[in-house]
PDB file of all heavy atoms in Angstrom:
ATOM      1  N   ASN A  57      24.257 211.464 189.875  1.00 93.00           N
ATOM      2  CA  ASN A  57      25.100 212.606 189.549  1.00 93.00           C
ATOM      3  C   ASN A  57      24.253 213.805 189.172  1.00 93.00           C
ATOM      4  O   ASN A  57      23.327 213.700 188.362  1.00 93.00           O
ATOM      5  CB  ASN A  57      26.052 212.269 188.414  1.00 93.00           C
ATOM      6  CG  ASN A  57      27.073 211.227 188.805  1.00 93.00           C
ATOM      7  OD1 ASN A  57      27.460 211.132 189.966  1.00 93.00           O
ATOM      8  ND2 ASN A  57      27.526 210.447 187.834  1.00 93.00           N
ATOM      9  N   THR A  58      24.579 214.952 189.760  1.00 96.00           N
ATOM     10  CA  THR A  58      23.888 216.195 189.449  1.00 96.00           C
ATOM     11  C   THR A  58      24.876 217.312 189.182  1.00 96.00           C
ATOM     12  O   THR A  58      26.026 217.264 189.620  1.00 96.00           O
ATOM     13  CB  THR A  58      22.946 216.635 190.586  1.00 96.00           C
ATOM     14  OG1 THR A  58      23.707 216.811 191.785  1.00 96.00           O
ATOM     15  CG2 THR A  58      21.864 215.598 190.823  1.00 96.00           C
ATOM     16  N   TYR A  59      24.418 218.318 188.453  1.00 96.00           N
ATOM     17  CA  TYR A  59      25.208 219.506 188.175  1.00 96.00           C
ATOM     18  C   TYR A  59      24.301 220.718 188.299  1.00 96.00           C
ATOM     19  O   TYR A  59      23.131 220.666 187.910  1.00 96.00           O
ATOM     20  CB  TYR A  59      25.783 219.453 186.745  1.00 96.00           C
ATOM     21  CG  TYR A  59      26.208 220.801 186.229  1.00 96.00           C
ATOM     22  CD1 TYR A  59      27.446 221.336 186.527  1.00 96.00           C
ATOM     23  CD2 TYR A  59      25.343 221.553 185.435  1.00 96.00           C
ATOM     24  CE1 TYR A  59      27.815 222.582 186.064  1.00 96.00           C
ATOM     25  CE2 TYR A  59      25.708 222.797 184.963  1.00 96.00           C
ATOM     26  CZ  TYR A  59      26.949 223.303 185.287  1.00 96.00           C
ATOM     27  OH  TYR A  59      27.306 224.547 184.816  1.00 96.00           O
ATOM     28  N   TYR A  60      24.848 221.819 188.842  1.00 97.00           N
ATOM     29  CA  TYR A  60      24.097 223.057 188.973  1.00 97.00           C
ATOM     30  C   TYR A  60      24.933 224.237 188.506  1.00 97.00           C
ATOM     31  O   TYR A  60      26.136 224.317 188.781  1.00 97.00           O
ATOM     32  CB  TYR A  60      23.678 223.311 190.419  1.00 97.00           C
ATOM     33  CG  TYR A  60      22.705 222.291 190.971  1.00 97.00           C
ATOM     34  CD1 TYR A  60      23.160 221.212 191.718  1.00 97.00           C
ATOM     35  CD2 TYR A  60      21.342 222.411 190.741  1.00 97.00           C
ATOM     36  CE1 TYR A  60      22.276 220.278 192.219  1.00 97.00           C
ATOM     37  CE2 TYR A  60      20.461 221.482 191.240  1.00 97.00           C
ATOM     38  CZ  TYR A  60      20.921 220.418 191.981  1.00 97.00           C
ATOM     39  OH  TYR A  60      20.041 219.496 192.476  1.00 97.00           O
ATOM     40  N   ARG A  61      24.297 225.152 187.808  1.00 96.00           N
ATOM     41  CA  ARG A  61      24.910 226.407 187.462  1.00 96.00           C
ATOM     42  C   ARG A  61      25.135 227.208 188.755  1.00 96.00           C
ATOM     43  O   ARG A  61      24.320 227.159 189.670  1.00 96.00           O
ATOM     44  CB  ARG A  61      24.013 227.192 186.507  1.00 96.00           C
ATOM     45  CG  ARG A  61      24.624 228.449 185.924  1.00 96.00           C
ATOM     46  CD  ARG A  61      23.636 229.140 185.000  1.00 96.00           C
ATOM     47  NE  ARG A  61      24.244 230.272 184.323  1.00 96.00           N
ATOM     48  CZ  ARG A  61      24.841 230.188 183.147  1.00 96.00           C
ATOM     49  NH1 ARG A  61      24.916 229.047 182.504  1.00 96.00           N
ATOM     50  NH2 ARG A  61      25.380 231.274 182.602  1.00 96.00           N
ATOM     51  N   ASP A  62      26.234 227.950 188.818  1.00 95.00           N
ATOM     52  CA  ASP A  62      26.586 228.661 190.039  1.00 95.00           C
ATOM     53  C   ASP A  62      25.466 229.588 190.516  1.00 95.00           C
ATOM     54  O   ASP A  62      25.238 229.713 191.722  1.00 95.00           O
ATOM     55  CB  ASP A  62      27.868 229.470 189.835  1.00 95.00           C
ATOM     56  CG  ASP A  62      29.106 228.601 189.795  1.00 95.00           C
ATOM     57  OD1 ASP A  62      29.025 227.442 190.200  1.00 95.00           O
ATOM     58  OD2 ASP A  62      30.159 229.109 189.357  1.00 95.00           O
ATOM     59  N   SER A  63      24.763 230.230 189.607  1.00 93.00           N
ATOM     60  CA  SER A  63      23.767 231.205 189.977  1.00 93.00           C
ATOM     61  C   SER A  63      22.532 230.600 190.646  1.00 93.00           C
ATOM     62  O   SER A  63      21.747 231.324 191.250  1.00 93.00           O
ATOM     63  CB  SER A  63      23.335 232.021 188.752  1.00 93.00           C
ATOM     64  OG  SER A  63      22.741 231.199 187.775  1.00 93.00           O
ATOM     65  N   VAL A  64      22.361 229.277 190.535  1.00 94.00           N
ATOM     66  CA  VAL A  64      21.189 228.637 191.134  1.00 94.00           C
ATOM     67  C   VAL A  64      21.554 227.656 192.236  1.00 94.00           C
ATOM     68  O   VAL A  64      20.657 227.074 192.859  1.00 94.00           O
ATOM     69  CB  VAL A  64      20.312 227.939 190.075  1.00 94.00           C
ATOM     70  CG1 VAL A  64      19.906 228.930 188.990  1.00 94.00           C
ATOM     71  CG2 VAL A  64      21.031 226.741 189.480  1.00 94.00           C
ATOM     72  N   LYS A  65      22.832 227.464 192.507  1.00 95.00           N
ATOM     73  CA  LYS A  65      23.252 226.549 193.563  1.00 95.00           C
ATOM     74  C   LYS A  65      22.696 227.008 194.910  1.00 95.00           C
ATOM     75  O   LYS A  65      22.738 228.190 195.242  1.00 95.00           O
ATOM     76  CB  LYS A  65      24.773 226.476 193.641  1.00 95.00           C
ATOM     77  CG  LYS A  65      25.421 225.672 192.541  1.00 95.00           C
ATOM     78  CD  LYS A  65      26.934 225.627 192.717  1.00 95.00           C
ATOM     79  CE  LYS A  65      27.595 224.795 191.633  1.00 95.00           C
ATOM     80  NZ  LYS A  65      29.071 224.789 191.762  1.00 95.00           N
ATOM     81  N   GLY A  66      22.157 226.069 195.662  1.00 96.00           N
ATOM     82  CA  GLY A  66      21.574 226.376 196.952  1.00 96.00           C
ATOM     83  C   GLY A  66      20.136 226.817 196.886  1.00 96.00           C
ATOM     84  O   GLY A  66      19.463 226.893 197.919  1.00 96.00           O
ATOM     85  N   ARG A  67      19.624 227.126 195.693  1.00 97.00           N
ATOM     86  CA  ARG A  67      18.242 227.561 195.526  1.00 97.00           C
ATOM     87  C   ARG A  67      17.414 226.558 194.721  1.00 97.00           C
ATOM     88  O   ARG A  67      16.240 226.350 195.003  1.00 97.00           O
ATOM     89  CB  ARG A  67      18.175 228.908 194.832  1.00 97.00           C
ATOM     90  CG  ARG A  67      18.852 230.035 195.601  1.00 97.00           C
ATOM     91  CD  ARG A  67      18.519 231.390 195.003  1.00 97.00           C
ATOM     92  NE  ARG A  67      18.999 231.522 193.625  1.00 97.00           N
ATOM     93  CZ  ARG A  67      18.234 231.799 192.577  1.00 97.00           C
ATOM     94  NH1 ARG A  67      16.921 231.989 192.747  1.00 97.00           N
ATOM     95  NH2 ARG A  67      18.757 231.914 191.367  1.00 97.00           N
ATOM     96  N   PHE A  68      18.021 225.942 193.706  1.00 98.00           N
ATOM     97  CA  PHE A  68      17.320 225.001 192.831  1.00 98.00           C
ATOM     98  C   PHE A  68      17.791 223.581 193.121  1.00 98.00           C
ATOM     99  O   PHE A  68      18.968 223.353 193.406  1.00 98.00           O
ATOM    100  CB  PHE A  68      17.592 225.308 191.361  1.00 98.00           C
ATOM    101  CG  PHE A  68      16.988 226.583 190.845  1.00 98.00           C
ATOM    102  CD1 PHE A  68      16.395 227.504 191.707  1.00 98.00           C
ATOM    103  CD2 PHE A  68      17.010 226.860 189.493  1.00 98.00           C
ATOM    104  CE1 PHE A  68      15.846 228.678 191.232  1.00 98.00           C
ATOM    105  CE2 PHE A  68      16.465 228.029 189.003  1.00 98.00           C
ATOM    106  CZ  PHE A  68      15.878 228.941 189.863  1.00 98.00           C
ATOM    107  N   THR A  69      16.873 222.616 193.016  1.00 97.00           N
ATOM    108  CA  THR A  69      17.184 221.220 193.202  1.00 97.00           C
ATOM    109  C   THR A  69      16.563 220.399 192.081  1.00 97.00           C
ATOM    110  O   THR A  69      15.352 220.488 191.853  1.00 97.00           O
ATOM    111  CB  THR A  69      16.686 220.692 194.559  1.00 97.00           C
ATOM    112  OG1 THR A  69      17.258 221.461 195.622  1.00 97.00           O
ATOM    113  CG2 THR A  69      17.088 219.230 194.730  1.00 97.00           C
ATOM    114  N   ILE A  70      17.375 219.609 191.392  1.00 97.00           N
ATOM    115  CA  ILE A  70      16.873 218.732 190.340  1.00 97.00           C
ATOM    116  C   ILE A  70      16.715 217.326 190.919  1.00 97.00           C
ATOM    117  O   ILE A  70      17.544 216.868 191.700  1.00 97.00           O
ATOM    118  CB  ILE A  70      17.802 218.740 189.114  1.00 97.00           C
ATOM    119  CG1 ILE A  70      17.163 217.996 187.933  1.00 97.00           C
ATOM    120  CG2 ILE A  70      19.181 218.165 189.442  1.00 97.00           C
ATOM    121  CD1 ILE A  70      17.919 218.163 186.621  1.00 97.00           C
ATOM    122  N   SER A  71      15.639 216.649 190.538  1.00 96.00           N
ATOM    123  CA  SER A  71      15.391 215.302 191.016  1.00 96.00           C
ATOM    124  C   SER A  71      14.638 214.518 189.932  1.00 96.00           C
ATOM    125  O   SER A  71      14.215 215.086 188.928  1.00 96.00           O
ATOM    126  CB  SER A  71      14.595 215.312 192.323  1.00 96.00           C
ATOM    127  OG  SER A  71      13.329 215.921 192.142  1.00 96.00           O
ATOM    128  N   ARG A  72      14.475 213.225 190.156  1.00 94.00           N
ATOM    129  CA  ARG A  72      13.811 212.388 189.164  1.00 94.00           C
ATOM    130  C   ARG A  72      12.959 211.318 189.823  1.00 94.00           C
ATOM    131  O   ARG A  72      13.190 210.935 190.972  1.00 94.00           O
ATOM    132  CB  ARG A  72      14.840 211.732 188.236  1.00 94.00           C
ATOM    133  CG  ARG A  72      15.927 210.981 188.993  1.00 94.00           C
ATOM    134  CD  ARG A  72      16.835 210.215 188.050  1.00 94.00           C
ATOM    135  NE  ARG A  72      18.057 209.775 188.724  1.00 94.00           N
ATOM    136  CZ  ARG A  72      18.134 208.739 189.546  1.00 94.00           C
ATOM    137  NH1 ARG A  72      17.048 208.031 189.828  1.00 94.00           N
ATOM    138  NH2 ARG A  72      19.290 208.415 190.100  1.00 94.00           N
TER     139      ARG A  72
END
Side-chain angles (χ1 to χ4, degrees):
N57 293 331
T58 59
Y59 161 84
Y60 295 96
R61 188 180 186 91
D62 286 345
S63 62
V64 304
K65 285 181 179 177
R67 299 191 298 123
F68 291 9
T69 302
I70 189 170
S71 61
R72 53 173 166 79

